[in-house]
Amino acid sequence: MFEKEEKKLYELKKEYGNVEIPSEIDDFIRSGIRKVKNTTRPSFWKIGMVAASILLIIFLTSIRVSPAFANYVSTTIPGMERIVELIHHNKGIMSAVENDYLQEVGITKEEDGVSLTIDAIIMDEAQMLIFYTIESDYNYPNINLSNIKLKSQSGEELDVDGLSYGSHGEVMKGEKVSGQIKVIYSDKEVIPEKFNFETGVNINEVEVIKGLNFPIEVDTQKFSAITNEIAIDKSVEAGEQSIYFEKMEIHPTRIALFLEYDESNTHDIFRFDDIALEDEKGNRWISDGSSSMEDNKIVMYFESNYFSEPQQLNLVFSSFTALPKDELEVVVDLEKESIIKAPSDKRLKKVWLDDGEKDRKGIYFQIEVDPKDHNYFFSLFDNNIIDADGTVHEYTTRTYSYIDGTNLFEQGMIVDTDKMVSPITFKIAEYPSRITEEVKVKIK
């Protein structure tokens, strides 16, 4: 019954192969995050907007689901096929939906020729996914939701750590486009049984519809699943770096893995390349790319195996990016446009200034990356630049690009360098040097 959907996805996948990633992609990524506390490097769930749409296409392959789920799609929620397109790359969310862990909402509001429907929700103690559909009476180059708030029935805004959602380009008259909003709760917040979802609608970067309100009543019985917690309490050595794995919390929508890097480690660890959970049958649940960090304590998030209940489970990985702690600073001479200090592996090739248009003015770096990093848009430095007087200069916009046919990655920080006293110092936030070692940690 999914021939039409599979054909569409194959076409999307083919189109993706010809997509050019804009060199200034960060300029187009609007902040999908309302608030983020103790956050590490940019991760999939944070980037939202255009990037979310790109990431969705990356994961598109084909829809292969069980007969029971096929029947569920065909007989229940209107527009369920579009929801499947949004979530089928995440086997944990797919498993939750297949086990009827999804609630239909079906509330529609119309204004100025735009129809917005809240189709369904999925929620647990960790997060909530809100699925929606937009339909317009006109053609628009771009539509996205804006100014999203969750409120109690009394009108009090609920405290959330983050919101991420996508943008929709080339929306045609009468065409239905769907998306999802990921809501990460504050530690202190409990989503009430009845709440109001409030949003505006941006058309071509302008908020033309404000304050659409959707009263939602949560089916608490449907979402009554209890978080499973597994104590790990094991340390491993990888590349002479010690990593302590404390515990794992298994929610219906995702798994939270709690770990800690030993303070005596010689390297800062940035990112695991291939970390996953693996059961006795070889089934794998991968990291969703998001994490939170406070000092050396990290929480990493994975696809959920809540409904799979594996008999055996191992945590496996074979490589991660890291850099010696005494090589985390990069110092630049602005007058000479030269690098004074950089990591010893000489991956950082050159630096230059751009004094041109306002949206390009700033400082640019070229760095050599591994082939596996192609089209992975990481942030090389944190958001602060310290000049020779000790003044801290912040920037919020970066540009990213790859030089075709090479392993060279270019990143720019849009900032007014005329206000800085040379030399200036950056702190590395992520770097493409790697430690490789096969590691397996028994969970159960």
Side-chain angles (χ1 to χ4, degrees):
M1 73 182 304
F2 287 99
E3 289 85 356
K4 180 180 178 181
E5 288 77 8
E6 288 190 27
K7 181 179 179 181
K8 181 179 179 182
L9 291 175
Y10 279 124
E11 290 173 352
L12 285 172
K13 185 180 179 183
K14 184 178 180 181
E15 290 176 11
Y16 170 73
N18 298 319
V19 170
E20 291 188 11
I21 305 298
S23 63
E24 294 182 303
I25 188 171
D26 202 57
D27 292 336
F28 304 110
I29 298 175
R30 289 179 290 276
S31 176
I33 306 165
R34 296 275 313 290
K35 293 186 296 180
V36 180
K37 297 185 289 187
N38 302 324
T39 311
T40 58
R41 274 74 54 189
S43 55
F44 292 156
W45 74 265
K46 297 180 212 172
I47 58 180
M49 298 307 178
V50 172
S53 300
I54 294 172
L55 290 172
L56 173 63
I57 296 173
I58 291 174
F59 290 114
L60 292 180
T61 53
S62 64
I63 299 177
R64 299 293 182 189
V65 295
S66 70
F69 186 65
N71 180 67
Y72 180 79
V73 168
S74 65
T75 60
T76 57
I77 299 174
M80 190 65 200
E81 294 88 347
R82 292 190 298 276
I83 294 179
V84 172
E85 290 184 21
L86 293 170
I87 67 172
H88 85 280
H89 66 275
N90 186 315
K91 67 170 62 177
I93 302 298
M94 284 288 287
S95 179
V97 173
E98 187 171 357
N99 283 273
D100 199 26
Y101 203 79
L102 178 143
Q103 176 187 336
E104 181 182 3
V105 176
I107 301 175
T108 300
K109 297 291 178 71
E110 297 184 23
E111 189 172 322
D112 293 338
V114 175
S115 169
L116 173 63
T117 300
I118 303 302
D119 298 307
I121 61 171
I122 297 175
M123 66 184 300
D124 57 23
E125 295 171 313
Q127 64 179 358
M128 174 166 56
L129 305 178
I130 302 173
F131 300 97
Y132 66 88
T133 297
I134 296 175
E135 186 174 4
S136 173
D137 291 341
Y138 307 95
N139 297 336
Y140 290 116
N142 183 273
I143 291 181
N144 63 273
L145 304 186
S146 63
N147 199 25
I148 294 174
K149 296 182 177 68
L150 272 63
K151 294 182 176 181
S152 66
Q153 284 191 300
S154 62
E156 180 181 358
E157 188 170 351
L158 302 179
D159 185 22
V160 298
D161 276 352
L163 292 169
S164 65
Y165 50 97
S167 179
H168 307 282
E170 296 299 329
V171 176
M172 307 304 291
K173 176 182 178 180
E175 176 188 10
K176 292 182 178 180
V177 293
S178 295
Q180 69 171 340
I181 303 149
K182 185 178 290 188
V183 182
I184 307 297
Y185 313 143
S186 162
D187 292 339
K188 299 178 181 180
E189 189 62 80
V190 176
I191 301 299
E193 183 176 342
K194 296 180 180 180
F195 69 92
N196 292 314
F197 173 78
E198 184 178 296
T199 184
V201 177
N202 277 0
I203 297 178
N204 303 336
E205 312 298 332
V206 178
E207 188 176 47
V208 297
I209 301 174
K210 300 181 179 181
L212 293 178
N213 187 60
F214 297 82
I216 296 175
E217 183 171 352
V218 179
D219 185 341
T220 54
Q221 184 174 357
K222 180 181 287 291
F223 299 128
S224 60
I226 299 173
T227 298
N228 297 328
E229 184 172 312
I230 299 177
I232 303 174
D233 192 25
K234 293 179 181 178
S235 292
V236 298
E237 295 286 329
E240 300 182 349
Q241 309 305 305
S242 180
I243 307 170
Y244 172 68
F245 295 96
E246 177 189 359
K247 65 177 181 178
M248 192 168 68
E249 292 179 354
I250 305 176
H251 305 277
T253 65
R254 68 177 182 175
I255 290 175
L257 174 69
F258 294 76
L259 61 146
E260 185 174 354
Y261 302 136
D262 195 305
E263 290 185 0
S264 64
N265 286 347
T266 59
H267 287 56
D268 257 15
I269 297 173
F270 303 122
R271 175 175 59 92
F272 291 88
D273 288 312
D274 56 355
I275 192 166
L277 296 162
E278 188 173 84
D279 71 5
E280 70 279 5
K281 298 178 182 178
N283 296 314
R284 291 167 64 91
W285 293 268
I286 63 174
S287 168
D288 69 5
S290 62
S291 63
S292 61
M293 183 172 185
E294 184 175 1
D295 298 325
N296 287 323
K297 295 183 178 182
I298 301 95
V299 183
M300 295 182 61
Y301 298 99
F302 293 76
E303 297 173 327
S304 177
N305 59 19
Y306 188 94
F307 296 99
S308 301
E309 300 181 354
Q311 297 301 308
Q312 298 176 22
L313 193 65
N314 294 307
L315 179 72
V316 296
F317 61 89
S318 63
S319 70
F320 53 89
T321 57
L323 195 66
K325 291 181 178 179
D326 59 1
E327 297 188 15
L328 294 174
E329 283 190 352
V330 172
V331 182
V332 171
D333 185 321
L334 290 175
E335 283 77 21
K336 296 181 180 180
E337 298 187 27
S338 63
I339 299 171
I340 300 173
K341 181 182 178 182
S344 58
D345 63 4
K346 300 188 184 303
R347 284 179 178 268
L348 206 57
K349 299 301 182 183
K350 66 177 181 177
V351 63
W352 68 96
L353 303 182
D354 189 326
D355 294 323
E357 299 178 4
K358 183 178 180 181
D359 62 351
R360 291 285 305 176
K361 183 179 178 66
I363 184 166
Y364 291 77
F365 289 87
Q366 186 181 92
I367 186 170
E368 183 179 0
V369 300
D370 295 336
K372 67 173 63 178
D373 291 319
H374 282 202
N375 295 323
Y376 173 68
F377 294 92
F378 64 93
S379 294
L380 185 58
F381 303 112
D382 67 15
N383 289 333
N384 295 328
I385 304 172
I386 303 174
D387 71 12
D389 284 346
T391 303
V392 177
H393 303 264
E394 296 184 357
Y395 65 94
T396 57
T397 304
R398 301 177 180 89
T399 67
Y400 307 85
S401 63
Y402 279 92
I403 299 177
D404 289 342
T406 74
N407 289 327
L408 296 176
F409 171 66
E410 294 183 350
Q411 184 168 140
M413 279 62 68
I414 308 303
V415 65
D416 188 356
T417 55
D418 294 338
K419 297 179 180 180
M420 300 178 183
V421 179
S422 185
I424 60 175
T425 301
F426 297 83
K427 183 178 179 181
I428 291 175
E430 186 166 349
Y431 196 80
S433 62
R434 284 180 164 78
I435 292 175
T436 59
E437 185 170 336
E438 296 283 344
V439 174
K440 177 183 288 188
V441 181
K442 185 177 180 180
I443 305 298
K444 68 174 184 177

